[in-house]
Amino acid sequence: MMMPETIKAVFFDMDGVLYDSMPNHEYTWKESFKTIGIDFPAEEAYMNEGRPGFSTIKYAFDKFLHRQATEEDIDKVYGEKTRLMKECPEAPILLGMKELLKYLNENGVKVFVVTGSKQPSLVDKLDAHFGVLKDNIVSGRDVKQGKPHPEPYLIALEKSGMKKDECMVVENAPLGVESAKAAGIYTIAVNTGKLNDQVLLDAGADKLFSNTQLLADELMKIEL
């Protein structure tokens, strides 16, 4: 798919795109799964990024324990993950992203955040750091089916009021790329994690950058 000739809206994932938060998620998934006897590899945290938490837990039980997770299992693991996340250091903003979102906003491009997160502090944080208001956020609370289903990005499209060929997605995870491509949107991947580049390309990414600064530098060259 070719990059849109005219870009009127950009949809950003949050973890691993705006914030360097994936190390925290890797740690908390690994430690919370230990409580029920699962050795959750670091790569799995990146492969399953964007998936709703309960879905990741069901996936891990099926793959590593060869049984279905009960509601009690899900509550135990996710409760521990939530507790550990509160103890983690605040994730820093990734290089170039504050400048990129400022550039887009100043040039009349609508900016949205599409994330599987359900953090209650999400709105205040994204507004303070990037000027992204509540109405421009699609979170895990807004969808019935999370990534890799296209619903999150289809909701963002509807909110934007734009056509698919006027929009662009920036993702860092294979499930997020699959979600955006299933919604029919041009998708850039930025590899800020531990996966091989080919994993993101195989998921359908139209273009790939090795870090957010290179991504920001390239997009800020575009005349909007």
Side-chain angles (χ1 to χ4, degrees):
M1 184 182 289
M2 297 294 292
M3 180 181 290
E5 291 186 12
T6 302
I7 299 170
K8 295 185 178 180
V10 182
F11 308 139
F12 291 90
D13 180 35
M14 185 180 73
D15 294 308
V17 172
L18 299 180
Y19 297 100
D20 189 16
S21 46
M22 281 308 297
N24 287 346
H25 285 288
E26 174 192 333
Y27 167 76
T28 55
W29 273 129
K30 192 171 185 66
E31 292 302 308
S32 59
F33 276 124
K34 276 184 183 178
T35 63
I36 44 84
I38 291 177
D39 182 10
F40 198 66
E43 184 182 71
E44 290 284 3
Y46 294 87
M47 288 297 297
N48 287 280
E49 182 194 349
R51 192 191 295 274
F54 74 89
S55 181
T56 299
I57 295 166
K58 287 181 177 180
Y59 163 85
F61 268 75
D62 182 58
K63 181 170 183 177
F64 297 103
L65 296 183
H66 310 293
R67 70 172 178 87
Q68 291 187 343
T70 65
E71 290 301 316
E72 184 179 349
D73 291 327
I74 294 170
D75 289 345
K76 179 178 181 180
V77 175
Y78 202 71
E80 179 65 6
K81 185 180 191 301
T82 301
R83 184 187 72 79
L84 291 170
M85 281 295 290
K86 290 178 181 177
E87 297 177 352
C88 286
E90 184 174 349
I93 295 171
L94 281 160
L95 292 175
M97 299 312 286
K98 184 171 281 191
E99 294 80 6
L100 173 58
L101 270 71
K102 182 174 184 287
Y103 174 78
L104 294 173
N105 281 315
E106 289 178 347
N107 283 275
V109 176
K110 292 186 177 182
V111 173
F112 290 78
V113 172
V114 182
T115 174
S117 175
K118 294 183 179 181
Q119 295 178 36
S121 61
L122 197 62
V123 176
D124 292 340
K125 183 169 71 169
L126 290 170
D127 185 8
H129 291 161
F130 301 103
V132 179
L133 302 177
K134 180 180 179 181
D135 287 347
N136 287 26
I137 299 170
V138 179
S139 76
R141 298 181 184 275
D142 302 313
V143 302
K144 292 181 180 178
Q145 301 188 78
K147 303 171 186 178
H149 194 277
E151 184 187 16
Y153 284 107
L154 292 175
I155 291 175
L157 272 172
E158 185 176 356
K159 279 176 169 280
S160 75
M162 300 301 173
K163 299 175 183 176
K164 293 179 181 181
D165 61 3
E166 297 172 326
C167 301
M168 174 191 298
V169 169
V170 180
E171 269 281 358
N172 72 305
L175 295 185
V177 172
E178 289 177 25
S179 173
K181 293 301 295 179
I185 310 170
Y186 179 84
T187 303
I188 292 175
V190 56
N191 195 354
T192 57
K194 295 184 174 181
L195 300 178
N196 187 286
D197 286 351
Q198 195 60 45
V199 174
L200 294 165
L201 294 171
D202 288 346
D206 296 295
K207 191 168 185 177
L208 184 140
F209 290 90
S210 60
N211 62 66
T212 52
Q213 188 65 65
L214 289 175
L215 165 73
D217 291 344
E218 184 72 17
L219 293 188
M220 286 192 289
K221 292 177 184 176
I222 299 173
E223 291 188 16
L224 301 170

